[in-house]
Amino acid sequence: MIYDTIANIPTYEGINPRIAEGLKLLQTVDFKNAEPGKVTINDWLWYNVMDYESSVGSRLEAHNDWADIQYVAAGSEYMGVKARCDMGEPVEAKPQNDVWFFGGDYAKLEMGGDKFIVLYPQDGHAPGDGKADGEKIRRVVIKVKLV
């Protein structure tokens, strides 16, 4: 997992070329003004811009083949995080979508401003945990296929 600010993206350019391409989108796309919806860059990189009203609470999820780069372009909320090895067995699986859901508690990281998070397959995460119900949020999920 990487949790940092957009200003520090150059620090991560050498860790994985595909992740670097995903991070570059945070520097080049105006996500605050982009149209909502999914944009496919190629067969291993796409992003989705989502507008919604926050709600308190979320559930843990993890992926096997894709990494997430998540960024809250408007508003603020929490990203729940927990090591996948500590999450036990999934309570629901959607392998066709590369997502497994888990129960349990998690630590919370604040998302908003210029903060972003990179979540690898070993990183359980609970996106969209609102600070309060009804806040307007714009969240960007950049998906990067690792395998």
Side-chain angles (χ1 to χ4, degrees):
M1 175 180 10
I2 299 168
Y3 175 64
D4 208 337
T5 60
I6 291 174
N8 292 327
I9 285 176
T11 306
Y12 305 105
E13 288 175 354
I15 61 169
N16 177 301
R18 288 185 174 192
I19 295 293
E21 284 298 311
L23 289 171
K24 197 176 295 181
L25 293 172
L26 291 178
Q27 297 172 305
T28 59
V29 177
D30 180 7
F31 286 118
K32 291 180 183 353
N33 296 304
E35 288 293 317
K38 182 179 176 180
V39 175
T40 300
I41 307 298
N42 55 45
D43 63 342
W44 54 265
L45 181 64
W46 57 270
Y47 65 82
N48 192 14
V49 177
M50 300 169 283
D51 292 327
Y52 56 90
E53 289 190 6
S54 64
S55 60
V56 175
S58 185
R59 68 177 176 168
L60 286 161
E61 63 183 63
H63 313 287
N64 288 341
D65 300 330
W66 293 79
D68 282 6
I69 300 170
Q70 298 209 19
Y71 167 66
V72 175
S76 65
E77 62 185 8
Y78 296 113
M79 173 67 70
V81 293
K82 189 171 189 174
R84 189 170 184 176
C85 63
D86 293 333
M87 295 193 313
E89 293 298 316
V91 296
E92 182 182 353
K94 294 185 179 180
Q96 69 277 14
N97 296 329
D98 190 44
V99 63
W100 286 258
F101 296 100
F102 300 82
D105 59 350
Y106 48 81
K108 293 181 179 184
L109 298 174
E110 187 163 342
M111 298 294 295
D114 279 348
K115 295 183 182 112
F116 70 91
I117 191 166
V118 179
L119 300 149
Y120 292 93
Q122 68 268 21
D123 303 320
H125 53 287
D129 187 351
K131 295 179 177 181
D133 290 335
E135 294 181 15
K136 293 192 183 301
I137 303 292
R138 170 167 277 213
R139 182 163 45 102
V140 177
V141 179
I142 301 169
K143 300 293 282 189
V144 181
K145 190 168 190 179
L146 299 173
V147 293

